[in-house]
Amino acid sequence: MIDRRRLIAGMAAASVPLTAHAQSWPARPVRLVVPDAPGSGNDTTARVFANHLEQALGQPVPVDNRAGAGGRIGVENAFRSPPDGTTLLLGNAGSNGINAALYRDLPYDLERDFVPISLLVTGPNVLAVNPRVFPVATVGELLAMIRAQPRGHFNYATAGAGSSAHFSAELFKAMTGTDLVHVPFRGAAGMAQAAVSGDAPFLIANMVNVMPFIRRGELRLLAVTSLERWPDTPEVPTLHESGLPGFETIAWNGLFGPPGLPPAVVQRLLPELRRIGALPDVVDRIRLLGGRIVTSGPEVLAARVRADIAKWRDLAARAGIRIDS
């Protein structure tokens, strides 16, 4: 069945010459939807880019946090926004990848309905534990402790169902044959507090969300989820080299537009995003978050979305992970 809204939006965009769009956009503020709570790594990334985009575009770029349902609420808000360039979406591995594997009833298709603009930031997740509950120094010692208890004895915390942290932990369970109970929170703050308190003493999460607690000794970093050791933590092994060959999960942020976003808006944004991504203060700020700037272009972002959806659909099918809403 043809989606009338998408067809009309596309016809409207096509009826205006690209040069007209390029010359007139943006004539109004550009809202940047972030499907995460304030203070999260995704939110911080959004604000870093938004501040510089305001100067480049000559219009305010307010960050609009729409947290909930693993990013679904914010993504749907962007999906239903007019395709005039006044709304953009800073999606991530959960909101624009994993959710396709998690929900049966999404009102949009994450591969086809959003206009990819650019992959912006990538970085690994990290496996961290509460050292009071798990007094271990390696992943092997951690697995021995988990296996010494009945299945389901330990909890793991995430910032929400469908996050990259959620599916990273589920991949860990699948590859190790262990059983940990998922305890989702609405945002990174609750997730970290549950790990520190010992209520959910295991987590795989974005580096920025756990490093302050690791520095204070409240959590212990055991591994990163990239295939190669992360340059900022060269002493920390990967899960791949810790007995889980091939384990890799990458957190990412990418900029999208709603259906029908004019190509000229993408063309206007790309050089600005690349320029901003090369600024030393932006590089340093993202590095502190545990990420790397990778301003790429639409094709790279689209390929990342396709690959993630295929990977996580396979895991969801094998592990029986599904949310019906």
Side-chain angles (χ1 to χ4, degrees):
M1 180 180 293
I2 296 177
D3 187 320
R4 287 174 56 83
R5 179 185 177 280
R6 257 179 266 156
L7 178 61
I8 293 171
M11 291 173 62
S15 67
V16 181
L18 295 185
T19 53
H21 277 301
Q23 292 170 359
S24 62
W25 185 86
R28 291 185 288 162
V30 179
R31 183 174 64 109
L32 182 56
V33 176
V34 177
D36 298 278
S40 66
N42 295 331
D43 173 70
T44 303
T45 297
R47 294 179 190 278
V48 168
F49 276 88
N51 289 339
H52 287 280
L53 277 174
E54 286 188 353
Q55 302 171 29
L57 301 178
Q59 289 288 346
V61 182
V63 173
D64 186 2
N65 295 93
R66 301 276 179 143
R72 175 173 174 171
I73 291 173
V75 173
E76 185 164 345
N77 178 270
F79 171 70
R80 300 191 184 285
S81 298
D84 57 2
T86 58
T87 297
L88 300 174
L89 169 70
L90 189 82
N92 58 66
S95 68
N96 286 71
I98 291 171
N99 278 358
L102 196 62
Y103 291 98
R104 296 180 185 275
D105 61 343
L106 293 178
Y108 44 76
D109 186 304
L110 285 168
E111 288 189 65
R112 296 196 302 265
D113 284 345
F114 290 89
V115 176
I117 299 173
S118 179
L119 190 64
L120 297 181
V121 175
T122 64
N125 288 319
V126 298
L127 189 163
V129 297
N130 182 312
R132 292 182 290 106
V133 179
F134 292 114
V136 299
T138 68
V139 172
E141 293 173 357
L142 171 67
L143 286 171
M145 281 198 67
I146 293 173
R147 289 168 176 156
Q149 297 295 334
R151 293 178 65 83
H153 179 79
F154 295 109
N155 298 331
Y156 77 89
T158 73
S163 62
S164 64
H166 175 201
F167 269 55
S168 292
E170 290 297 325
L171 182 60
F172 177 89
K173 288 167 55 179
M175 292 184 69
T176 59
T178 53
D179 185 23
L180 302 162
V181 178
H182 182 207
V183 182
F185 292 85
R186 185 167 178 169
M191 171 191 69
Q193 186 54 47
V196 170
S197 70
D199 291 336
F202 171 103
L203 78 170
I204 300 180
N206 293 168
M207 192 176 290
V208 64
N209 295 327
V210 298
M211 287 308 291
F213 305 97
I214 290 169
R215 294 189 184 102
R216 294 197 295 266
E218 295 171 319
L219 295 176
R220 180 171 295 158
L221 177 57
L222 296 185
V224 296
T225 65
S226 48
L227 285 176
E228 298 180 352
R229 294 196 181 197
W230 198 240
D232 294 336
T233 55
E235 74 286 357
V236 179
T238 67
L239 282 168
H240 168 70
E241 65 183 304
S242 300
L244 283 74
F247 190 106
E248 181 187 31
T249 62
I250 298 296
W252 54 264
N253 301 107
L255 192 64
F256 300 85
L261 184 75
V265 173
V266 178
Q267 295 166 11
R268 172 79 170 87
L269 281 167
L270 282 175
E272 298 297 350
L273 293 171
R274 293 189 177 111
R275 181 188 60 79
I276 292 168
L279 295 173
D281 64 313
V282 173
V283 172
D284 290 344
R285 186 73 180 97
I286 297 301
R287 183 170 172 266
L288 287 175
L289 297 177
R292 287 289 183 274
I293 302 286
V294 288
T295 46
S296 60
E299 300 81 7
V300 173
L301 178 55
R304 168 63 69 177
V305 170
R306 286 194 302 270
D308 272 21
I309 288 175
K311 176 177 183 174
W312 298 127
R313 276 182 174 156
D314 177 67
L315 175 63
R318 288 188 286 114
I321 308 168
R322 181 69 72 178
I323 291 179
D324 297 309
S325 59

